[in-house]
Amino acid sequence: MKKIFFFLFTASAFTSIAQKNDSLLSKVYYWDKLEVKKEDTRIRRQVLEGKTLALDNFEVHTSTLEPGKAPHPPHVHADQEELMIVKEGQVKITIAGKSKILGPGSIAFAMPGDEHGIENAGNTQATYLILKYKGKLPNIERGKQAGGSFMLDWKELTTKNTGKGYRRDFFNRATSQLKQFEMHTTALNSDSVSHAPHTHVQEEIILIVRGNVEMFIDGKLYKGSVGDLYFLSANVPHALKNIGKEQCEYFAFQWRD
């Protein structure tokens, strides 16, 4: 049954509520196909940029830094949030005067108005992802009441057994730009499926950390591996399967306005 379950769920049963002016549609962005740009202090890869149902602007890129380097001086965003995710190496992240050295899997979240910066604090190259976004109905006070800016170390998170792998929960809260923003990682054993194909009102990103997967999106199958990123629009049917011989793991980000 596992081999055929994807095809029992047809896209014709669902209609996306994405608006006509949304420029980002559900698809996979392959790490090895991203354009590599060498700048003064970093190597940059642009992943995506555009509008979604919940976001006036949504941009994702990666930076690779040599030891001791920073992409630019600390800075402030007046009207957007920024989420930093460490892919490789050790980085020092500073937000509103507080600093922390973080390794792979760790994250940092900067509210509008909070100065933040990042630099390579290790002895090897460091690579991280940046998610920057502006909501359609921002509320700065809502973000402050929910806890403001923060940093989370991968090594300090709790691992929960799921029976077919494990899960790490990062956060589930309101922010200044979104009514709900939730993030976790899931590890799946070989030949395991995340869940049956389903839809939800939240938009979602899936970022592959390790292993080989196959994602069902709206009637089609898309393979993925380490570094690949899937964007899923609201109400688009999807499901993920581990097609490798080893355990896979991925980040899942969900949000709604």
Side-chain angles (χ1 to χ4, degrees):
M1 290 295 291
K2 287 185 178 180
K3 294 182 179 180
I4 63 172
F5 89 99
F6 284 124
F7 303 98
L8 301 180
F9 191 91
T10 60
S12 60
F14 294 91
T15 302
S16 172
I17 60 174
Q19 298 174 337
K20 292 182 180 179
N21 62 350
D22 293 342
S23 58
L24 293 177
L25 303 178
S26 300
K27 62 176 291 186
V28 55
Y29 297 85
Y30 294 104
W31 174 264
D32 60 4
K33 292 183 179 181
L34 298 176
E35 183 181 359
V36 178
K37 291 186 177 181
K38 293 185 178 180
E39 300 180 352
D40 290 342
T41 60
R42 64 176 168 176
I43 297 172
R44 178 185 169 111
R45 293 173 172 88
Q46 187 70 33
V47 182
L48 59 82
E49 184 169 15
K51 294 183 178 182
T52 75
L53 181 69
L55 300 172
D56 260 347
N57 187 69
F58 180 41
E59 189 245 331
V60 179
H61 69 267
T62 74
S63 290
T64 298
L65 302 174
E66 295 296 332
K69 297 295 184 178
H72 43 62
H75 60 288
V76 173
H77 299 302
D79 59 357
Q80 61 183 341
E81 293 174 342
E82 183 169 322
L83 181 66
M84 295 160 266
I85 308 148
V86 185
K87 183 177 184 290
E88 300 169 347
Q90 301 286 319
V91 299
K92 178 182 178 182
I93 296 178
T94 302
I95 303 177
K98 296 181 179 180
S99 299
K100 195 167 187 177
I101 294 179
L102 299 171
S106 304
I107 69 163
F109 173 85
M111 279 267 295
D114 282 353
E115 185 180 75
H116 54 281
I118 186 169
E119 62 182 274
N120 186 344
N123 299 317
T124 62
Q125 282 189 336
T127 299
Y128 57 91
L129 288 90
I130 295 291
L131 280 65
K132 291 193 294 186
Y133 51 91
K134 180 180 179 180
K136 294 185 175 180
L137 296 171
N139 186 325
I140 300 297
E141 189 58 33
R142 178 181 63 199
K144 292 179 179 178
Q145 291 179 358
S149 301
F150 61 90
M151 290 179 269
L152 296 175
D153 191 326
W154 171 271
K155 296 180 293 184
E156 298 174 359
L157 297 171
T158 301
T159 300
K160 299 178 182 177
N161 189 296
T162 62
K164 51 187 175 182
Y166 59 82
R167 172 178 171 133
R168 286 184 175 95
D169 287 301
F170 282 71
F171 61 85
N172 187 354
R173 51 171 280 183
T175 76
S176 71
Q177 306 298 306
L178 297 163
K179 290 182 180 178
Q180 181 196 22
F181 191 10
E182 187 268 338
M183 175 182 173
H184 65 273
T185 63
T186 295
L188 287 176
N189 298 329
S190 179
D191 202 37
S192 293
V193 176
S194 57
H195 35 58
H198 66 295
T199 66
H200 43 67
V201 298
Q202 292 92 342
E203 297 170 330
E204 185 171 14
I205 274 183
I206 300 293
L207 174 64
I208 309 304
V209 176
R210 57 188 173 93
N212 296 287
V213 306
E214 189 171 63
M215 177 73 82
F216 171 95
I217 305 176
D218 203 14
K220 297 182 179 180
L221 297 175
Y222 301 87
K223 292 183 179 179
S225 59
V226 178
D228 295 340
L229 182 148
Y230 297 89
F231 173 71
L232 303 166
S233 301
N235 283 1
V236 170
H238 60 279
L240 183 146
K241 181 179 180 179
N242 182 356
I243 61 172
K245 295 181 179 180
E246 305 295 333
Q247 196 177 64
C248 74
E249 190 164 11
Y250 57 90
F251 279 104
F253 311 83
Q254 294 185 7
W255 64 87
R256 62 180 175 88
D257 196 355

